[in-house]
Short mmCIF file of all heavy atoms in Angstrom, two decimals:
data_model
loop_
_atom_site.label_atom_id
_atom_site.label_comp_id
_atom_site.label_asym_id
_atom_site.label_seq_id
_atom_site.Cartn_x
_atom_site.Cartn_y
_atom_site.Cartn_z
N ILE N 28 -7.77 49.89 21.94
CA ILE N 28 -8.82 48.94 22.28
C ILE N 28 -9.98 49.71 22.96
O ILE N 28 -11.16 49.36 22.77
CB ILE N 28 -8.30 47.83 23.14
CG1 ILE N 28 -7.20 46.97 22.53
CG2 ILE N 28 -9.38 46.87 23.61
CD1 ILE N 28 -7.73 46.25 21.22
N ARG N 29 -9.64 50.64 23.85
CA ARG N 29 -10.66 51.31 24.55
C ARG N 29 -11.53 52.10 23.51
O ARG N 29 -12.73 52.08 23.59
CB ARG N 29 -10.09 52.31 25.53
CG ARG N 29 -11.01 53.21 26.25
CD ARG N 29 -10.29 54.37 26.79
NE ARG N 29 -9.73 55.29 25.73
CZ ARG N 29 -8.96 56.27 26.10
NH1 ARG N 29 -8.62 56.57 27.37
NH2 ARG N 29 -8.46 57.02 25.11
N ASN N 30 -10.93 52.88 22.51
CA ASN N 30 -11.60 53.59 21.56
C ASN N 30 -12.46 52.67 20.66
O ASN N 30 -13.60 52.99 20.32
CB ASN N 30 -10.66 54.39 20.70
CG ASN N 30 -9.95 55.38 21.47
OD1 ASN N 30 -10.32 55.89 22.51
ND2 ASN N 30 -8.73 55.80 20.90
N LEU N 31 -11.85 51.41 20.38
CA LEU N 31 -12.70 50.51 19.67
C LEU N 31 -13.88 49.96 20.38
O LEU N 31 -14.92 49.91 19.77
CB LEU N 31 -11.77 49.31 19.26
CG LEU N 31 -12.37 48.25 18.34
CD1 LEU N 31 -12.73 48.81 17.01
CD2 LEU N 31 -11.47 47.08 18.20
N CYS N 32 -13.71 49.80 21.66
CA CYS N 32 -14.89 49.42 22.55
C CYS N 32 -16.02 50.49 22.49
O CYS N 32 -17.15 50.20 22.47
CB CYS N 32 -14.43 49.04 23.93
SG CYS N 32 -13.49 47.49 24.08
N VAL N 33 -15.44 51.62 22.56
CA VAL N 33 -16.48 52.85 22.68
C VAL N 33 -17.22 52.89 21.24
O VAL N 33 -18.50 53.04 21.26
CB VAL N 33 -15.72 54.20 22.96
CG1 VAL N 33 -16.71 55.29 22.75
CG2 VAL N 33 -15.27 54.15 24.35
N LEU N 34 -16.50 52.69 20.19
CA LEU N 34 -17.18 52.73 18.90
C LEU N 34 -18.23 51.55 18.72
O LEU N 34 -19.28 51.75 18.25
CB LEU N 34 -16.11 52.58 17.78
CG LEU N 34 -15.24 53.91 17.49
CD1 LEU N 34 -14.20 53.62 16.49
CD2 LEU N 34 -16.14 55.02 17.21
N VAL N 35 -17.71 50.47 19.19
CA VAL N 35 -18.74 49.25 19.24
C VAL N 35 -19.92 49.56 20.08
O VAL N 35 -21.07 49.16 19.71
CB VAL N 35 -17.92 47.92 19.74
CG1 VAL N 35 -18.97 46.88 19.89
CG2 VAL N 35 -16.95 47.66 18.70
N LEU N 36 -19.71 50.19 21.29
CA LEU N 36 -20.80 50.48 22.11
C LEU N 36 -21.72 51.50 21.51
O LEU N 36 -22.99 51.40 21.50
CB LEU N 36 -20.32 50.92 23.34
CG LEU N 36 -21.33 51.42 24.47
CD1 LEU N 36 -22.09 50.22 24.88
CD2 LEU N 36 -20.73 52.03 25.67
N ILE N 37 -21.21 52.50 20.83
CA ILE N 37 -22.04 53.44 20.11
C ILE N 37 -22.80 52.79 19.04
O ILE N 37 -24.06 53.09 18.90
CB ILE N 37 -21.23 54.61 19.58
CG1 ILE N 37 -20.61 55.35 20.69
CG2 ILE N 37 -21.95 55.42 18.65
CD1 ILE N 37 -19.61 56.49 20.24
N GLY N 38 -22.25 51.92 18.27
CA GLY N 38 -22.83 51.17 17.30
C GLY N 38 -23.93 50.35 17.76
O GLY N 38 -25.15 50.18 17.18
N THR N 39 -23.66 49.67 18.95
CA THR N 39 -24.64 48.76 19.56
C THR N 39 -25.92 49.69 19.98
O THR N 39 -27.11 49.21 19.88
CB THR N 39 -24.10 48.09 20.80
OG1 THR N 39 -22.83 47.32 20.28
CG2 THR N 39 -25.03 47.18 21.42
N VAL N 40 -25.56 50.81 20.63
CA VAL N 40 -26.71 51.69 21.09
C VAL N 40 -27.63 52.14 19.94
O VAL N 40 -28.82 52.11 19.97
CB VAL N 40 -26.17 52.94 21.79
CG1 VAL N 40 -27.28 53.94 22.01
CG2 VAL N 40 -25.47 52.64 23.11
N ILE N 41 -26.92 52.55 18.83
CA ILE N 41 -27.73 52.96 17.61
C ILE N 41 -28.56 51.82 17.11
O ILE N 41 -29.73 51.89 16.81
CB ILE N 41 -26.86 53.48 16.53
CG1 ILE N 41 -26.17 54.79 17.00
CG2 ILE N 41 -27.64 53.77 15.25
CD1 ILE N 41 -25.16 55.28 16.17
N ALA N 42 -27.93 50.53 16.99
CA ALA N 42 -28.70 49.32 16.59
C ALA N 42 -29.75 49.01 17.50
O ALA N 42 -30.80 48.71 17.01
CB ALA N 42 -27.64 48.23 16.40
N CYS N 43 -29.52 49.13 18.80
CA CYS N 43 -30.51 48.77 19.77
C CYS N 43 -31.78 49.68 19.70
O CYS N 43 -32.89 49.32 19.83
CB CYS N 43 -30.04 48.82 21.22
SG CYS N 43 -28.85 47.44 21.56
N PHE N 44 -31.44 50.97 19.52
CA PHE N 44 -32.41 52.00 19.41
C PHE N 44 -33.38 51.76 18.25
O PHE N 44 -34.58 51.74 18.15
CB PHE N 44 -31.91 53.36 19.35
CG PHE N 44 -32.89 54.51 19.24
CD1 PHE N 44 -33.70 54.84 20.31
CD2 PHE N 44 -33.21 55.10 17.99
CE1 PHE N 44 -34.69 55.88 20.06
CE2 PHE N 44 -34.16 56.08 17.90
CZ PHE N 44 -34.88 56.44 18.87
N ILE N 45 -32.70 51.52 17.05
CA ILE N 45 -33.42 51.21 15.75
C ILE N 45 -34.21 49.92 15.94
O ILE N 45 -35.46 49.92 15.50
CB ILE N 45 -32.53 51.12 14.68
CG1 ILE N 45 -31.84 52.46 14.38
CG2 ILE N 45 -33.21 50.75 13.40
CD1 ILE N 45 -30.63 52.40 13.31
N LEU N 46 -33.64 48.93 16.41
CA LEU N 46 -34.36 47.61 16.60
C LEU N 46 -35.55 47.74 17.55
O LEU N 46 -36.65 47.44 17.28
CB LEU N 46 -33.40 46.57 17.20
CG LEU N 46 -34.05 45.22 17.55
CD1 LEU N 46 -34.51 44.65 16.18
CD2 LEU N 46 -33.07 44.29 18.19
N SER N 47 -35.34 48.49 18.71
CA SER N 47 -36.42 48.77 19.75
C SER N 47 -37.50 49.52 19.09
O SER N 47 -38.78 49.35 19.32
CB SER N 47 -35.88 49.23 20.93
OG SER N 47 -35.36 50.59 20.73
N TYR N 48 -37.12 50.57 18.23
CA TYR N 48 -38.20 51.45 17.68
C TYR N 48 -39.08 50.57 16.78
O TYR N 48 -40.30 50.80 16.93
CB TYR N 48 -37.56 52.53 17.03
CG TYR N 48 -38.46 53.45 16.16
CD1 TYR N 48 -39.06 54.47 16.89
CD2 TYR N 48 -38.67 53.20 14.94
CE1 TYR N 48 -40.02 55.35 16.24
CE2 TYR N 48 -39.57 54.08 14.16
CZ TYR N 48 -40.23 55.12 14.81
OH TYR N 48 -41.20 55.87 14.22
N TYR N 49 -38.50 49.89 15.93
CA TYR N 49 -39.34 49.14 14.88
C TYR N 49 -40.14 48.09 15.51
O TYR N 49 -41.32 47.78 15.13
CB TYR N 49 -38.43 48.62 13.71
CG TYR N 49 -38.03 49.71 12.78
CD1 TYR N 49 -36.79 50.15 12.70
CD2 TYR N 49 -38.97 50.24 11.94
CE1 TYR N 49 -36.34 51.21 11.81
CE2 TYR N 49 -38.61 51.22 10.90
CZ TYR N 49 -37.38 51.70 10.93
OH TYR N 49 -37.02 52.68 10.02
N VAL N 50 -39.55 47.27 16.50
CA VAL N 50 -40.26 46.29 17.15
C VAL N 50 -41.45 46.77 17.90
O VAL N 50 -42.64 46.35 17.85
CB VAL N 50 -39.37 45.46 18.13
CG1 VAL N 50 -40.12 44.48 18.96
CG2 VAL N 50 -38.33 44.69 17.30
N THR N 51 -41.21 47.92 18.58
CA THR N 51 -42.30 48.58 19.42
C THR N 51 -43.40 49.14 18.43
O THR N 51 -44.54 49.03 18.84
CB THR N 51 -41.67 49.68 20.30
OG1 THR N 51 -40.68 49.15 21.13
CG2 THR N 51 -42.66 50.21 21.21
N PHE N 52 -42.84 49.72 17.47
CA PHE N 52 -43.79 50.35 16.50
C PHE N 52 -44.65 49.39 15.85
O PHE N 52 -45.85 49.60 15.62
CB PHE N 52 -43.01 51.25 15.46
CG PHE N 52 -43.90 52.01 14.62
CD1 PHE N 52 -44.43 53.18 14.91
CD2 PHE N 52 -44.29 51.55 13.21
CE1 PHE N 52 -45.21 53.96 14.10
CE2 PHE N 52 -45.12 52.33 12.42
CZ PHE N 52 -45.56 53.50 12.85
N SER N 53 -44.03 48.12 15.56
CA SER N 53 -44.92 47.10 14.92
C SER N 53 -45.98 46.58 15.77
O SER N 53 -47.02 45.94 15.45
CB SER N 53 -43.99 45.94 14.57
OG SER N 53 -43.48 45.30 15.72
N ILE N 54 -45.92 46.84 17.15
CA ILE N 54 -46.95 46.49 18.12
C ILE N 54 -47.89 47.57 18.36
O ILE N 54 -49.08 47.43 18.37
CB ILE N 54 -46.32 46.00 19.42
CG1 ILE N 54 -45.35 44.72 19.19
CG2 ILE N 54 -47.28 45.66 20.54
CD1 ILE N 54 -44.55 44.35 20.35
N SER N 55 -47.33 48.73 18.64
CA SER N 55 -48.17 49.91 18.96
C SER N 55 -49.03 50.49 17.86
O SER N 55 -50.28 50.88 18.01
CB SER N 55 -47.42 50.96 19.65
OG SER N 55 -46.43 51.50 18.71
N ASP N 56 -48.49 50.46 16.65
CA ASP N 56 -49.27 51.13 15.40
C ASP N 56 -50.45 50.34 15.18
O ASP N 56 -51.50 50.93 14.97
CB ASP N 56 -48.28 51.18 14.28
CG ASP N 56 -48.93 51.98 13.12
OD1 ASP N 56 -49.26 53.13 13.40
OD2 ASP N 56 -49.11 51.42 12.11
N PRO N 57 -50.38 48.87 14.98
CA PRO N 57 -51.62 48.11 14.79
C PRO N 57 -52.65 48.40 15.86
O PRO N 57 -53.83 48.43 15.58
CB PRO N 57 -51.15 46.71 14.61
CG PRO N 57 -49.78 46.79 14.32
CD PRO N 57 -49.22 48.08 14.91
N LEU N 58 -52.17 48.38 17.10
CA LEU N 58 -53.16 48.69 18.28
C LEU N 58 -53.85 50.03 18.13
O LEU N 58 -55.07 50.22 18.35
CB LEU N 58 -52.46 48.52 19.50
CG LEU N 58 -51.99 47.10 19.95
CD1 LEU N 58 -51.23 47.21 21.23
CD2 LEU N 58 -53.20 46.18 20.07
N LYS N 59 -53.19 51.07 17.60
CA LYS N 59 -53.73 52.35 17.52
C LYS N 59 -54.67 52.30 16.30
O LYS N 59 -55.80 52.92 16.51
CB LYS N 59 -52.51 53.31 17.17
CG LYS N 59 -51.64 53.72 18.31
CD LYS N 59 -50.58 54.73 17.96
CE LYS N 59 -49.71 55.06 19.04
NZ LYS N 59 -48.61 55.99 18.78
N LYS N 60 -54.30 51.64 15.23
CA LYS N 60 -55.39 51.61 14.14
C LYS N 60 -56.72 50.85 14.57
O LYS N 60 -57.74 51.25 14.24
CB LYS N 60 -54.67 50.84 12.90
CG LYS N 60 -53.59 51.57 12.30
CD LYS N 60 -52.98 50.87 11.16
CE LYS N 60 -51.90 51.67 10.38
NZ LYS N 60 -51.34 50.95 9.29
N LEU N 61 -56.42 49.79 15.34
CA LEU N 61 -57.64 48.99 15.85
C LEU N 61 -58.38 49.84 16.74
O LEU N 61 -59.66 49.79 16.79
CB LEU N 61 -57.14 47.69 16.46
CG LEU N 61 -58.15 46.75 17.10
CD1 LEU N 61 -59.11 46.26 15.93
CD2 LEU N 61 -57.50 45.51 17.73
N ASN N 62 -57.77 50.62 17.59
CA ASN N 62 -58.37 51.55 18.47
C ASN N 62 -59.23 52.47 17.74
O ASN N 62 -60.47 52.84 18.18
CB ASN N 62 -57.46 52.21 19.40
CG ASN N 62 -58.05 53.09 20.47
OD1 ASN N 62 -58.96 52.66 21.17
ND2 ASN N 62 -57.59 54.32 20.60
N ARG N 63 -58.69 53.10 16.69
CA ARG N 63 -59.51 54.00 15.88
C ARG N 63 -60.68 53.58 15.20
O ARG N 63 -61.77 54.08 15.13
CB ARG N 63 -58.44 54.66 14.80
CG ARG N 63 -57.42 55.58 15.32
CD ARG N 63 -56.92 56.55 14.20
NE ARG N 63 -56.12 55.64 13.36
CZ ARG N 63 -54.76 55.45 13.44
NH1 ARG N 63 -54.15 56.08 14.50
NH2 ARG N 63 -54.15 54.79 12.61
N VAL N 64 -60.51 52.22 14.68
CA VAL N 64 -61.66 51.62 14.04
C VAL N 64 -62.72 51.28 15.21
O VAL N 64 -63.89 51.52 14.85
CB VAL N 64 -61.16 50.23 13.43
CG1 VAL N 64 -62.37 49.49 12.98
CG2 VAL N 64 -60.17 50.55 12.24
#
């Protein structure tokens, strides 16, 4: 069960990183483009 929890935690970390990256990028990238214009 401990090993399974660790695997779930690792999967959650990866999923959280991917989600946070794309959500943040969807906000910051348009602002950067608008700033360049």
Side-chain angles (χ1 to χ4, degrees):
I28 297 297
R29 179 198 61 188
N30 296 337
L31 182 61
C32 289
V33 172
L34 290 177
V35 171
L36 180 60
I37 293 174
T39 303
V40 169
I41 295 174
C43 290
F44 178 77
I45 295 174
L46 178 63
S47 65
Y48 174 82
Y49 282 108
V50 171
T51 305
F52 188 77
S53 68
I54 298 173
S55 64
D56 186 63
L58 289 177
K59 288 180 181 179
K60 291 180 179 180
L61 181 59
N62 183 48
R63 287 197 295 268
V64 172

